[in-house]
Amino acid sequence: MKTVLVTGGAGFLGSHLCEALLKKGNKVICVDNLYTGSENNISKLFTDKNFSFINHDIIEKLDVECDEIYNLACPASPPHYQKNPVFTLKTSVLGIINLLELARKNNARLLHASTSEVYGDPLEHPQKESYWGNVNPIGIRSCYDEGKRVAETFCMDYKRKYDLDVKIIRIFNTYGPNMDKDDGRVVSNFINQALKGKDITIYGDGTQTRSFCYVSDLIEGIIKMMEFNESGPINLGNPNEFTMLELADKVIDLIDSKSKISFSNLPEDDPKLRKPDITLAKEKLDWEPKINLQEGLKKTIEYFKKGINQ
Ligand code: NAD
Ligand code: UDP
């Protein structure tokens, strides 16, 4: 039985990953400081004797025994990562150093959750892993984007210098149950607004695009990457691309909501286009998403409805 450390395990993606790893027969140690995550996301896992939780900030050193480390700890929604940018940057930079050192000590594999944000406001579309990106180093998104870029650099330098077994995935917009309804990301905002009959808040003119992956697809890809014998980076996401206007229409339609659309300013440095090229993931991991936006939104809406009725 392997012992697997999941940082950020009480968050949206981390909680699904902990559950999937337990189902596969692993012992799971979830580390989280509950900055954006919640014990509610992992409450049903506490009855499993192979699950344990440590409330810890990865900016500080950590000492546990483990065979594998998945590093997901980092606030991911723009309002949350911009709330305390210094904390966000330290989480990516000091956090990855602490975890790489822990991996060295344990001779463990480490998978780092990077992001499509390393491509910034991309000048190449769709984005391939070979694209170096178009990132503002001093803007309001930089604490997240540049932190994630430096963390990738640390991973590859530890691999070259210490022969550490590292994996890097670049996650594109993912949604599903366990997303915090108030975390400010577009899917959770639109569903909440539509369920309550409030205006759907589109930033900018709504022609900017994103490509949305349902959480169960992503988790399958993450675990496949940990089992893969190369370091990547590899894009993981759903290549079906939508404008924010199209997303709003779909959500309104599925909920049969009376909500109207309201427009406000596009935030600074907000990427205009985003779509992963997943050729590498298909070829190397034999992975591609199965759940389309319509189906994934229905499942997510059910989850949010339960929360609103509680
Ligand atoms: P989330 O905010 O729900 O989860 C992040 C978790 O990390 C939370 O539980 C939070 O409390 C914890 N955390 C934050 N800083 C920490 C610290 N210093 N020490 C310990 N724990 C800390 O976000 P998510 O969507 O689940 O994202 C998980 C990871 O995936 C993040 O690293 C994010 O950058 C990456 N990612 C997510 C997406 C997406 O669309 N969901 C896209 C790209 C990348
Ligand atoms: N967005 C929006 N309305 C909202 C929240 C977000 O129009 O209520 C837009 C945002 O400006 C961006 C896109 O939706 O263009 C995706 O935003 P999100 O915060 O989910 O993630 P990002 O991909 O920007 O990190």
Side-chain angles (χ1 to χ4, degrees):
M1 181 185 261
K2 271 187 291 193
T3 301
V4 184
L5 179 71
V6 179
T7 74
F12 160 47
L13 297 178
S15 56
H16 288 277
L17 181 62
C18 287
E19 192 177 351
L21 290 168
L22 285 168
K23 275 198 188 126
K24 281 182 164 285
N26 298 289
K27 195 171 163 191
V28 173
I29 306 170
C30 166
V31 164
D32 202 298
N33 67 350
L34 304 178
Y35 186 71
T36 50
S38 157
E39 286 196 46
N40 291 338
N41 286 340
I42 48 171
S43 56
K44 67 176 179 190
L45 307 182
F46 280 109
T47 52
D48 190 324
K49 65 178 187 339
N50 290 323
F51 180 75
S52 57
F53 172 67
I54 304 173
N55 188 330
H56 177 86
D57 188 325
I58 62 159
I59 292 173
E60 307 299 331
K61 284 198 175 74
L62 178 67
D63 194 8
V64 292
E65 283 181 16
C66 57
D67 305 299
E68 290 179 350
I69 302 171
Y70 289 84
N71 179 30
L72 274 71
C74 188
S77 102
H80 278 143
Y81 69 64
Q82 287 165 18
K83 197 169 59 188
N84 186 345
V86 174
F87 165 78
T88 302
L89 196 51
K90 281 183 170 174
T91 293
S92 282
V93 177
L94 301 179
I96 195 69
I97 297 173
N98 287 330
L99 296 169
L100 287 163
E101 286 298 332
L102 184 67
R104 273 183 78 196
K105 188 174 169 195
N106 281 284
N107 197 19
R109 276 187 170 193
L110 180 144
L111 178 144
H112 176 63
S114 190
T115 165
S116 53
E117 284 281 323
V118 299
Y119 302 121
D121 191 5
L123 304 176
E124 180 180 302
H125 192 71
Q127 293 77 52
K128 286 197 188 78
E129 291 82 350
S130 54
Y131 179 49
W132 288 354
N134 177 38
V135 176
N136 176 357
I138 54 167
I140 58 170
R141 292 177 90 97
S142 314
C143 61
Y144 184 69
D145 301 9
E146 295 290 22
K148 290 284 187 180
R149 286 169 68 97
V150 171
E152 287 197 12
T153 311
F154 270 116
C155 289
M156 296 313 284
D157 280 335
Y158 268 72
K159 175 185 161 83
R160 284 185 285 258
K161 189 165 168 63
Y162 301 113
D163 202 23
L164 200 74
D165 192 358
V166 296
K167 322 275 165 200
I168 299 170
I169 50 165
R170 292 183 179 153
I171 304 172
F172 284 65
N173 298 64
T174 302
Y175 68 100
N178 293 6
M179 280 189 102
D180 175 7
K181 68 174 175 47
D182 297 317
D183 91 352
R185 283 183 267 195
V186 69
V187 173
S188 44
N189 273 7
F190 285 5
I191 293 179
N192 258 310
Q193 291 159 348
L195 285 174
K196 292 179 181 161
K198 291 186 175 168
D199 279 1
I200 305 279
T201 54
I202 288 201
Y203 306 157
D205 63 6
T207 57
Q208 72 271 35
T209 68
R210 295 293 186 272
S211 307
F212 297 102
C213 185
Y214 188 67
V215 61
S216 57
D217 281 334
L218 188 88
I219 298 299
E220 192 196 319
I222 296 184
I223 293 174
K224 280 194 164 188
M225 183 65 183
M226 183 60 107
E227 288 160 3
F228 181 50
N229 60 7
E230 292 175 20
S231 294
I234 291 193
N235 288 339
L236 291 180
N238 190 319
N240 287 331
E241 187 184 12
F242 297 90
T243 65
M244 295 311 102
L245 279 171
E246 287 170 333
L247 177 70
D249 282 345
K250 270 194 189 301
V251 170
I252 290 174
D253 198 40
L254 284 171
I255 293 175
D256 196 18
S257 169
K258 307 244 174 312
S259 292
K260 303 268 175 293
I261 287 177
S262 76
F263 293 91
S264 57
N265 289 342
L266 189 69
E268 209 179 294
D269 294 335
D270 197 289
K272 286 176 267 315
L273 299 172
R274 183 180 291 154
K275 168 183 166 141
D277 180 315
I278 60 163
T279 310
L280 267 185
K282 281 186 190 162
E283 283 174 10
K284 304 248 176 193
L285 306 179
D286 188 26
W287 175 86
E288 66 181 311
K290 300 180 193 83
I291 299 191
N292 66 30
L293 186 61
Q294 179 97 350
E295 200 184 338
L297 282 178
K298 278 189 192 160
K299 292 172 194 272
T300 312
I301 290 167
E302 282 317 305
Y303 171 81
F304 278 90
K305 271 187 184 162
K306 276 189 223 146
I308 281 174
N309 294 334
Q310 265 166 18

